[in-house]
Amino acid sequence: MYTQLIGSLQKNVVLPLEKVANKVFTQSYNPFYYHGALPNFFIWVLFISGLLLFAYYTPTLERAYNTLSYITHELPFGNAIRSMHRYASDGMMIFVMLHMLRVWFTDRYREYRILPWLTGVILLSITFTIGLSGYMMIWDQEAVTLTYITANFLKQFPVIGPSLSSLLLGGELVSDFTLTRLLFLHLGIPLLLMFFLWMHYLRITRPVTDPPLALNLVLLGGLFLFCGVFPVSLGDRPNLQLVSPTLDLSFLYAWPQYLITQGWSTGVVWLLVLGVPVGLLILPYIQKKALRGQFAQVLDSSCTGCSLCYHDCPYEAITMVDRNDPTSRFKRLAIVDPGRCANCGLCVGACAFKAIEIPRRDSQDVLKEIEMALNS
Amino acid sequence: MAKDKKVIGIVCERSVDLTDQLDSNGYLKDNPNVKIVTVPCSGHIQPIMMETALKKGACGTFATGCRMGDCHYREGNKFLRERLLGTRMPKLKPTVDKRRVQAYWLSAVEYEKFKDLIHQFDESLDTLGCPEG
Ligand code: HEM
Ligand code: SF4
Ligand code: SF4
């Protein structure tokens, strides 16, 4: 049932959308085909604009707001850079989610793709944490309120709640340590992002990590437009005794806090915060396996060790090993890792020696079918 | 004579959807001289398959794969294109008459376009002439 649902989503939603996009952008620039590369554009913008902001930011109770105010009101192009950073963070979340939906709806997320999927869910959680800490670092009245709501939310977790809250605040109460913690989250967690991105690409041969220049320019233009038309603002100087009466939260990053301000119970919001990533982690396992353990088979006696299949395999499933066999004319041999093999047959197309086959379609049968059609 | 004009199409099962377009022998209903052979991915196609089709008397041969950028296995269509253009091993033999070899990159929902392209190819083969069966 679920398999059919995914299949019909692909056929009735994704492919028709892509068909339209092919008309608008042409095949070479169709953003759908750069779903994985697009978040990387935002990572670059965030990194560069973030560095500039970091040059002025001082993480203390006394000075954090002042530096934000200086960046926003006095520093030449300061607010433009702040706006860039803000809108790129929104873009990042949106495009990461689109990337996720696309690999999900086109059934590119399970079996031999399990590592990119699982690391992807971690990347999503990391992105979320980085963005949220960024909103708190602004340290105006709303940011302080957001920090209070978040700390309180963490505190409600059974048993370890109070520790979680004091991990965030750097103690029982808001202090200079709080801002150091926020800065650590905002700059330290991106290192984790880099680590998991590396893992994300580990089993993908030649990942397409960069959108074409033209798409980058279009996105950059879009960002500039947003920054020009809707420059971001800074709220009131914080009074730690007060909470902000109005909260204009980014739903993308602060949705749990938003739900809490809407009167949702903490328990339900916790269920969501934990349930969404756990659900995503389980998702690939609920579908029946399509391949049932099939994988490419090397015919040892025919393999010349030429490495063509090794270079062309899109999922790093082939390794070349020494034969250690003095009776053979050939030194090397291709070996397939069953867990990584997609059963795709790209190695069959690459092999000129009839030495590798996938069980579901023998290349000799294809040839026979062709010959039979021409003999009849 | 026209009866002998055979075209062999090796199609990726994920690109243009032909499930309802074939007769019981695997020939295209809209173009009955076109025999369709299915493979799991255009990257599975060896140039020798297309060479064999021409050598054994087909008037033309074509392959289909998904839109460039949308290969389910990431790079299959790109590799086939490079093999046919002669920039990736194993290559299509340079002596093969390129006018009789085509490749189309179409998604599952683009049958109408496929039909037009095959029709054009078929007509161009008529002007080239076909080997007598
Ligand atoms: C920081 C954010 C992310 C970045 C920069 C990123 C980047 C990429 C890139 C460049 C690829 C390779 C595309 C290709 O060449 O075929 C890829 C593949 C993939 N990503 Fe992500 N990704 C991110 C987050 C996610 C998330 C949140 C998920 C899902 C939970 C995810 C799931 C996948 C899967 C399953 C693949 C394999 C697709 C295939 O084999 O066709 N990624 N990602
Ligand atoms: S392409 Fe064929 S001959 Fe070359 S290493 Fe792979 S299986 Fe062996
Ligand atoms: S079928 Fe061949 S090319 Fe495809 S993943 Fe398996 S070993 Fe790699």
Side-chain angles (χ1 to χ4, degrees), chain A residues 67-193:
Chain A
T67 52
L68 253 293
S69 172
Y70 177 72
I71 292 170
T72 311
H73 303 300
E74 289 166 52
L75 186 69
F77 299 107
N79 205 37
I81 290 164
R82 227 195 112 197
S83 305
M84 273 306 253
H85 201 66
R86 166 77 60 88
Y87 291 123
S89 80
D90 289 338
M92 173 80 187
M93 193 44 119
I94 290 169
F95 279 88
V96 168
M97 288 198 293
L98 288 175
H99 168 52
M100 180 177 84
L101 290 179
R102 187 173 190 273
V103 294
W104 179 10
F105 291 168
T106 61
D107 199 1
R108 285 175 161 102
Y109 70 107
R110 57 204 177 101
E111 301 185 44
Y112 52 91
R113 290 175 172 109
I114 196 71
L115 184 70
W117 177 264
L118 298 181
T119 52
V121 179
I122 298 174
L123 286 170
L124 185 69
S125 317
I126 290 177
T127 309
F128 176 74
T129 313
I130 301 173
L132 191 56
S133 60
Y135 277 101
M136 296 191 232
M137 277 169 70
I138 298 170
W139 214 245
D140 57 8
Q141 189 68 60
E142 286 194 356
V144 169
T145 309
L146 179 67
T147 312
Y148 282 158
I149 298 175
T150 310
N152 196 38
F153 174 67
L154 292 173
K155 218 181 217 153
Q156 309 283 316
F157 196 81
V159 191
I160 56 166
S163 328
L164 289 179
S165 154
S166 68
L167 264 180
L168 175 73
L169 297 183
E172 288 297 301
L173 298 168
V174 165
S175 68
D176 276 349
F177 291 119
T178 310
L179 285 145
T180 325
R181 291 289 157 98
L182 291 179
L183 190 68
F184 169 75
L185 280 179
H186 204 68
L187 299 185
I189 306 288
L191 295 179
L192 264 185
L193 184 94

Side-chain angles (χ1 to χ4, degrees), chain A residues 11 27 33 102 106-108 112-113 204-206 312 314-315 344-345 348-350 360-361 373-374 376, chain B residues 6 13 17 37-38 40-41 43-44 46 52-53 56 67-68 70-75 79 83 88 90 109:
Chain A
K11 207 139 197 192
Q27 185 169 285
Y33 302 158
R102 187 173 190 273
T106 61
D107 199 1
R108 285 175 161 102
Y112 52 91
R113 290 175 172 109
I204 302 178
T205 320
R206 297 169 288 270
D312 282 4
Y315 289 102
C344 66
V348 180
R360 62 173 159 153
R361 193 68 166 124
L374 293 167
S376 63
Chain B
K6 280 221 172 115
E13 65 184 15
D17 184 2
V37 179
T38 324
C41 174
H44 181 272
Q46 301 165 328
T52 305
K56 298 282 158 146
R67 286 274 180 178
M68 280 299 150
D70 194 31
C71 174
H72 191 72
Y73 302 106
R74 303 190 51 250
E75 307 183 302
F79 290 171
R83 293 202 168 97
R88 179 176 283 272
V109 293

Side-chain angles (χ1 to χ4, degrees), chain A residues 334-351:
Chain A
I335 302 269
V336 178
D337 180 337
R340 296 185 184 189
C341 178
N343 204 17
C344 66
L346 263 60
C347 49
V348 180
C351 185

Side-chain angles (χ1 to χ4, degrees), chain A residues 297-300 302-311 318-320 323 330 332-336 346-357, chain B residues 90:
Chain A
Q297 307 285 329
V298 181
L299 204 72
D300 290 8
S302 307
C303 174
T304 65
C306 69
S307 304
L308 285 176
C309 58
Y310 162 76
H311 288 297
I318 297 182
T319 31
M320 301 301 301
R323 268 184 192 260
F330 307 113
R332 316 271 285 160
L333 177 69
I335 302 269
V336 178
L346 263 60
C347 49
V348 180
C351 185
F353 304 96
K354 304 193 184 91
I356 194 163
E357 292 290 353

